[in-house]
Amino acid sequence: DQQVKQNSPSLSVQEGRISILNCDYTNSMFDYFLWYKKYPAEGPTFLISISSIKDKNEDGRFTVFLNKSAKHLSLHIVPSQPGDSAVYFCAASLNNDMRFGAGTRLTVKP
Amino acid sequence: DAGITQSPRHKVTETGTPVTLRCHQTENHRYMYWYRQDPGHGLRLIHYSYGVKDTDKGEVSDGYSVSRSKTEDFLLTLESATSSQTSVYFCAISGQGTDTQYFGPGTRLTVL
């Protein structure tokens, strides 16, 4: 029972363009949402988060959007850079229970 | 980077042997977590701890046990390793249960 889903296993974009990574969840009780970035042979690194009381949070090139009615969140990266190439995990949290999506591999081509 | 280390970083073992993985933190955070990462599943919570000697089960706890005798150390034990426990194991910490979690570098475990 996967409560958090990332339906696109991979995404390829051109350097300088926008990258949009999507995530859907099923449990409307989740109250905190996060994106992590992971390079090979390293642990996931926290990128950006959003509380369920907000619909947008921005940090530099990264913006997370939350649509609670659709149970959907997305991560926008503008402009995309080759160093952004990594696997991105979305996560949803309720108390101590954090559920992760399966990840989307982003490739940014020079 | 959060001060989290995991040991060993790589381990190969045989089916039926006991295995213990260690997570050590220098941040004095209250919460510690063990996850496993498998293709197609993302990260799944095995066990977590909310204080010394206080632990609880996660989503995939069968076949695993944990112990936390000190704030800085959280041990994950596979009592009798099976091939289905071949995975990459990540430890994470957070200041409160709902705060952002910070991850260690991972341990790659292979059970033959």
Side-chain angles (χ1 to χ4, degrees), chain A residues 1-2 32 34 36 38 41-44 46 89 95-96 98-102, chain B residues 9 31 33 35 37 40-43 48 59 90 97-98 100-101 103-105:
Chain A
D1 176 24
Q2 217 162 357
Y32 193 58
L34 310 91
Y36 285 86
K38 186 183 181 305
E42 295 183 10
F46 169 71
F89 292 99
N95 297 325
N96 294 306
M98 186 174 289
R99 300 296 176 111
F100 287 81
Chain B
R9 294 293 314 277
Y31 287 82
Y33 310 81
Y35 290 88
Q37 185 200 358
H41 289 278
L43 291 95
Y48 70 96
E59 185 184 358
F90 289 101
T98 54
T100 300
Q101 295 181 20
F103 286 82

Side-chain angles (χ1 to χ4, degrees), chain B residues 88-104:
Chain B
V88 181
Y89 291 85
F90 289 101
C91 174
I93 64 174
S94 70
Q96 295 295 331
T98 54
D99 278 1
T100 300
Q101 295 181 20
Y102 296 93
F103 286 82

Side-chain angles (χ1 to χ4, degrees), chain A:
Chain A
D1 176 24
Q2 217 162 357
Q3 297 189 31
V4 178
K5 293 184 180 180
Q6 294 177 256
N7 292 318
S8 298
S10 62
L11 174 67
S12 181
V13 300
Q14 208 66 34
E15 180 179 7
R17 298 290 187 97
I18 184 171
S19 295
I20 300 176
L21 295 94
N22 293 302
C23 180
D24 297 295
Y25 61 95
T26 58
N27 188 348
S28 59
M29 298 299 292
F30 287 132
D31 59 5
Y32 193 58
F33 303 89
L34 310 91
W35 284 94
Y36 285 86
K37 176 180 179 180
K38 186 183 181 305
Y39 293 117
E42 295 183 10
T45 303
F46 169 71
L47 196 55
I48 192 169
S49 63
I50 187 168
S51 165
S52 61
I53 62 174
K54 296 186 176 181
D55 55 18
K56 178 183 175 181
N57 187 28
E58 190 173 353
D59 184 1
R61 295 186 297 116
F62 303 92
T63 303
V64 56
F65 295 92
L66 176 62
N67 182 335
K68 284 182 291 184
S69 61
K71 297 191 185 70
H72 178 83
L73 69 154
S74 61
L75 174 68
H76 292 209
I77 306 173
V78 183
S80 301
Q81 300 173 354
D84 295 329
S85 296
V87 176
Y88 290 78
F89 292 99
C90 70
S93 176
L94 174 62
N95 297 325
N96 294 306
D97 191 356
M98 186 174 289
R99 300 296 176 111
F100 287 81
T104 296
R105 181 177 300 278
L106 174 65
T107 302
V108 180
K109 298 181 178 179

Side-chain angles (χ1 to χ4, degrees), chain B residues 25-44:
Chain B
Q25 60 142 331
T26 57
E27 305 297 319
N28 200 35
H29 279 358
R30 180 182 173 192
Y31 287 82
M32 298 184 75
Y33 310 81
W34 277 108
Y35 290 88
R36 59 178 289 173
Q37 185 200 358
D38 303 290
H41 289 278
L43 291 95
R44 292 180 291 174

